[in-house]
């Protein structure tokens, strides 16, 4: 997709990967509506970017929040061409409660579905559009310590695959971004956890590979949009891990158990 003049929405765009993607998109000539539950930080980010960005308080987990973002984008810049589903949470460690599951499913999965429900019909009628799912390597592998995160990121990858298969012939592109550790406020929050299960999960992320900058992930993501490329692996070793998993699932699960025991003993 040619990015010059395109209109994008980035959820969770006030900081971290979302902010970096908004900056990268506007540098490429796009205009961006930033949504975030932290309105002050979102406004600060938009102001730093300049006239090619606008921001508002928006809860991406609700249809109303996404509709409000679409309305702002269309009023300020025009019809939405690109949607970056970046907003996400780590959720509770372990199995969590019903309330924990409701929250993480709403943000990490249903937000993607709701955005697609609103935008795909428009994109089909126009013959073009682009959906970006900021998922995680946990969606291809797993996440030690946090069931909700592992499950919802798998689901986000699965939904992105379904979109690409179902609407690719209608001119709709899809990219799914699956990094390991990235230096974001989300990772900072995991590092600060005192819960033993959460700390094991944090160590599994920090030991799995280099912690990348958000700008590195953003650059690779925007390149994928230009090239209409589905899978984005900022940590290339994830592909080898994924291949090992598929080649012998039982061996992979046994290896993950050993790794978990190692982390718990440190």
């Amino acid at each position: 997709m040619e990015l010059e003049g395109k209109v994008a929405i980035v959820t969770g765009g006030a900081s971290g990967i979302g902010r970096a993607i908004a900056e990268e998109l506007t540098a490429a000539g796009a205009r961006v509506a930033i949504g975030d539950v932290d309105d002050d930080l979102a406004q600060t980010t938009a102001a730093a970017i300049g006239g090619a960005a606008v921001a508002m308080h928006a809860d991406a987990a609700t249809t109303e929040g996404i509709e409000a973002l679409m309305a702002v984008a269309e009023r300020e810049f025009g019809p939405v061409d690109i949607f970056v589903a970046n907003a996400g949470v780590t959720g509770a460690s372990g199995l969590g409660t019903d309330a924990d599951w409701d929250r993480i499913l709403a943000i990490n999965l249903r937000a993607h579905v709701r955005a697609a429900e609103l935008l795909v019909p428009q994109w089909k009628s126009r013959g073009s559009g682009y959906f970006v799912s900021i998922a995680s390597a946990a969606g291809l592998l797993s996440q030690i310590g946090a069931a909700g995160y592992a499950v919802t990121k798998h689901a986000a990858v699965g939904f992105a695959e379904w979109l690409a298969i179902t609407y690719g012939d209608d001119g709709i592109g899809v990219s799914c971004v699956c990094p390991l550790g990235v230096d974001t406020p989300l990772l900072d929050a995991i590092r600060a956890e005192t819960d033993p299960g959460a700390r094991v999960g944090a160590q599994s992320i920090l030991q799995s590979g280099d912690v990348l900058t958000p700008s590195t992930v953003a650059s690779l993501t925007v390149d994928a949009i230009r090239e209409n490329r589905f899978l984005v692996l900022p940590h290339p070793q994830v592909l080898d891990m994924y291949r090992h998993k598929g080649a012998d699932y039982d061996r992979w699960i046994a290896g993950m158990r050993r790794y978990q025991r190692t982390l718990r003993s440190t």
Side-chain angles (χ1 to χ4, degrees):
M1 172 179 277
E2 171 57 49
L3 295 175
E4 181 71 35
K6 294 295 189 295
V7 177
I9 286 174
V10 181
T11 65
S15 62
I17 294 173
R19 174 173 179 152
I21 289 175
E23 292 171 340
E24 192 79 18
L25 284 169
T26 53
R31 292 161 294 173
V32 179
I34 296 167
D36 204 287
V37 293
D38 188 333
D39 185 47
D40 289 342
L41 189 56
Q43 296 296 339
T44 299
T45 297
I49 291 172
V54 65
M56 66 171 292
H57 176 276
D59 184 354
T62 68
T63 299
E64 294 77 16
I66 299 168
E67 287 177 331
L69 262 175
M70 289 173 59
V72 166
E74 290 174 4
R75 183 180 71 242
E76 296 293 328
F77 303 129
V80 176
D81 302 293
I82 302 164
F83 189 91
V84 182
N86 170 71
V89 293
T90 57
S93 64
L95 284 171
T97 65
D98 277 356
D100 292 327
W101 280 100
D102 287 343
R103 179 171 182 263
I104 200 166
L105 283 164
I107 298 170
N108 289 7
L109 175 62
R110 288 299 305 276
H112 298 210
V113 177
R114 288 170 174 144
E117 288 173 340
L118 292 169
L119 285 164
V120 165
Q122 296 183 19
W123 290 346
K124 280 189 67 178
S125 67
R126 285 155 47 191
S128 67
Y130 212 98
F131 191 96
V132 181
S133 171
I134 306 299
S136 168
L140 298 173
L141 305 170
S142 192
Q143 177 59 51
I144 289 173
Y149 191 78
V151 170
T152 55
K153 291 302 183 179
H154 273 76
V157 172
F159 183 64
E161 289 176 353
W162 183 86
L163 281 179
I165 293 165
T166 306
Y167 297 110
D169 289 342
D170 297 308
I172 297 173
V174 181
S175 290
C176 186
V177 187
C178 296
L180 290 167
V182 183
D183 190 14
T184 65
L186 196 66
L187 184 58
D188 290 340
I190 298 171
R191 285 169 166 154
E193 283 282 359
T194 57
D195 176 82
R199 290 184 66 83
V200 167
Q203 286 304 309
S204 72
I205 296 169
L206 295 172
Q207 293 182 20
S208 61
D210 293 337
V211 175
L212 301 181
T213 64
S215 61
T216 297
V217 177
S219 178
L220 293 169
T221 300
V222 172
D223 283 346
I225 298 171
R226 288 192 181 98
E227 298 164 10
N228 192 17
R229 180 161 38 85
F230 180 79
L231 187 59
V232 183
L233 296 177
H235 296 81
Q237 66 266 38
V238 170
L239 183 57
D240 289 333
M241 297 176 187
Y242 188 49
R243 285 169 173 162
H244 287 311
K245 176 182 177 179
D248 190 334
Y249 235 108
D250 289 315
R251 182 180 64 183
W252 178 81
I253 288 173
M256 289 292 283
R257 287 175 180 160
R258 287 193 300 273
Y259 184 41
Q260 180 176 249
R261 289 195 297 270
T262 300
L263 293 170
R264 286 174 173 172
S265 66
T266 57

